[in-house]
Amino acid sequence: EKRGTIDQKNIDLVMSLVSSNIYSNNIGSIVREITSNCYDANKENNSSEPIKIYYENDYENNTRYIVFEDNGKGLSPELMDEVYMCMFSSTKRDDNLAHGGWGLGSKTPFSYVNQFNLVTICNNIKYEYLLYKESIGFKYTCLSSNETLENSGTKIKIEVDQKDLYKFNQEFKYQLKYFEDVYIQDNSGHYYSNDFKLIEGKNFKYNNLYSTGDLHICLGQVSYPIDFKVLELDRNLFSILSFYLSFLL
C-alpha cells in the first residue's frame, strides 16, 4: 500500500492555491471565518466581551481598514509559527463546539489582499505582525514586540477597497445573523443594526432583522445554504419558510 504525497518543493504552491482560490465569495468567507476565530478565542478565554468589528481610517494615506478584534488569550510566538501560519494545523480539531478545525480560516484575507496586519497581546507582550503573499506561498514578519499592561487579545486588520464597503455590510447581515456576541460598528455609510433578536427552538433559529426567507442549515452559529439542485427539490417550495434548521453536531 502506498500513499499519495506532496513534493516538499511544491508546498508553497499548495499553500498559495488553498489560501487564495477555494473561496467563491471571498468577502463573505473573510467575515465568517475571522469572526468564527474571534468567537472561539473569546470562548477559550472565558471572555464575556463581544467580538468587535469596525473600520479604521488612515487619512494620510487615504486608506481604510476593517478590524476584527477578540479578547482571547492572544497568540504566542510559538502558536503564531506552528499553528497560525501552518496550513491545515489547528488547535480546534478535538473541540466539537469550536468552529473550523482545518487551519484554513485564518488565511482567508489572502483571498482578498496581498498583505494584512495582525496585532496580538499574549502574556503581557504586544506583538505586531505583517503577513504577506509572495509569488508562491506566504510569509510573515514581526514588526515589533513590547511589554504592555493591555488585556490579552488579537486584532486582524485588513485594507478594504472603497467599492467593497457595501458588500462587507451585506455579508455582516448574511454571515453573522446567528452570532450573538458580536458588535459591529459600521461607519461606512451603510446601515447596520446590532439590535436584532434571535428566536431559537430545538430545531430552528430566526433573526428578526436579517432573515432572508430561505431555508438554511446552521452549524453552531454559522449558516450554510442548501443546494436544492443536488437534493432534486424545488427551491420555490421552501422559499416561504423564514426559519432555519439548527443541527447540533
Side-chain angles (χ1 to χ4, degrees), residues 147-158:
E147 293 184 359
T148 182
L149 296 178
E150 297 177 69
N151 293 330
S152 64
T154 300
K155 295 180 183 180
I156 306 296
K157 185 175 175 180
I158 306 164

Side-chain angles (χ1 to χ4, degrees), residues 22 36 42 149 160 183-184 189 220 228:
I22 64 173
S36 294
N42 278 4
L149 296 178
V160 175
Y183 180 78
I184 298 173
F228 289 97

